[in-house]
Amino acid sequence: MDEIKSNENESLIEKLQDSDPDVRKDAAEKLGNSGPDAVEPLIKALDDSNPDVRFQASKSLAEIGDPAVESLVKALKGEEGNIKRYATFALKNIGDENVVEHLIEALNDDDWSVRKTSAKSLGEMESKDAVDALIEALKDEDWGVRTAVAKALGDIGDEKAIDPLKKARRAAKGDKEFKKVATKSLKKMA
């Protein structure tokens, strides 16, 4: 029985290289039920040319769960672009408290989209451990990151974020989107 499962996995892993994105997406989806052997091929699929394949690979890695965490963290620290962003999604979807520290570290990544995705993920996880790092990230140079951070702080709802959020909102001259999100987050905390 294990041999049949192993052969199926090998076939699915090969299909991750198919020229048809629908075939690659389908293979990525089916590999979510296959266990640790699929982790590395799915990590590579996080950089697929097709966004649907990347997203499905991320979902499948989250389904695999704990066996994928170490490889996802390694990808988050060592890869570029799409792989980092989709690794962040997968870590968030695993939702384990053990991933929080890695998502907090990612708030300092060179890539603004990784910082933004990390902030959003920490908010969705409602991680109180991330509040101090998120407050610091309110000073990020990228407006999209700052906006994601403001929303995340509202989602977490920790009152110690109220004053820093008010200060950031006052400093955001002309940034209507940030001010709107910050105001909404502050209302959640009131």
Side-chain angles (χ1 to χ4, degrees):
M1 190 68 177
D2 284 341
E3 190 174 321
I4 293 170
K5 182 92 169 140
S6 178
N7 288 340
E8 277 179 37
N9 287 352
E10 285 177 29
S11 174
L12 290 170
I13 289 168
E14 284 176 27
K15 287 180 181 178
L16 286 175
Q17 306 302 318
D18 196 277
S19 61
D20 183 343
D22 290 332
V23 171
R24 296 194 308 271
K25 180 183 172 206
D26 185 56
E29 184 176 359
K30 289 177 180 164
L31 283 167
N33 301 318
S34 65
D37 291 347
V39 170
E40 289 310 316
L42 285 168
I43 293 277
K44 288 182 179 129
L46 294 177
D47 199 31
D48 192 274
S49 60
N50 184 287
D52 293 335
V53 176
R54 294 191 302 260
F55 185 68
Q56 185 56 58
S58 168
K59 284 175 55 178
S60 292
L61 284 160
E63 283 177 41
I64 292 170
D66 280 346
V69 169
E70 187 178 325
S71 293
L72 285 164
V73 168
K74 203 161 82 178
L76 188 61
K77 293 180 179 184
E79 294 293 338
E80 299 288 323
N82 285 330
I83 291 181
K84 280 184 167 187
R85 284 188 288 280
Y86 286 93
T88 305
F89 282 134
L91 286 168
K92 185 241 342 166
N93 289 331
I94 290 171
D96 189 303
E97 277 302 307
N98 297 331
V99 305
V100 169
E101 70 181 88
H102 303 294
L103 292 173
I104 290 171
E105 279 180 40
L107 290 171
N108 296 312
D109 196 88
D110 291 339
D111 184 334
W112 66 269
S113 63
V114 172
R115 297 191 307 272
K116 181 178 174 180
T117 304
S118 296
K120 185 177 177 194
S121 297
L122 290 163
E124 289 173 8
M125 292 173 72
E126 297 181 9
S127 174
K128 298 256 188 226
D129 292 341
V131 171
D132 291 333
L134 287 166
I135 288 170
E136 189 61 33
L138 282 169
K139 301 172 190 159
D140 196 280
E141 68 212 27
D142 183 85
W143 72 269
V145 174
R146 289 191 306 273
T147 303
V149 167
K151 183 177 181 332
L153 287 168
D155 291 343
I156 295 168
D158 191 311
E159 291 181 5
K160 73 176 166 181
I162 292 174
D163 287 338
L165 204 46
K166 284 181 178 178
K167 184 177 176 186
R169 185 179 62 177
R170 280 192 304 273
K173 306 230 187 290
D175 188 348
K176 290 179 185 175
E177 182 65 23
F178 177 81
K179 286 184 176 207
K180 186 169 91 176
V181 171
T183 300
K184 195 172 182 179
S185 290
L186 286 164
K187 285 180 181 174
K188 283 183 176 182
M189 292 183 223

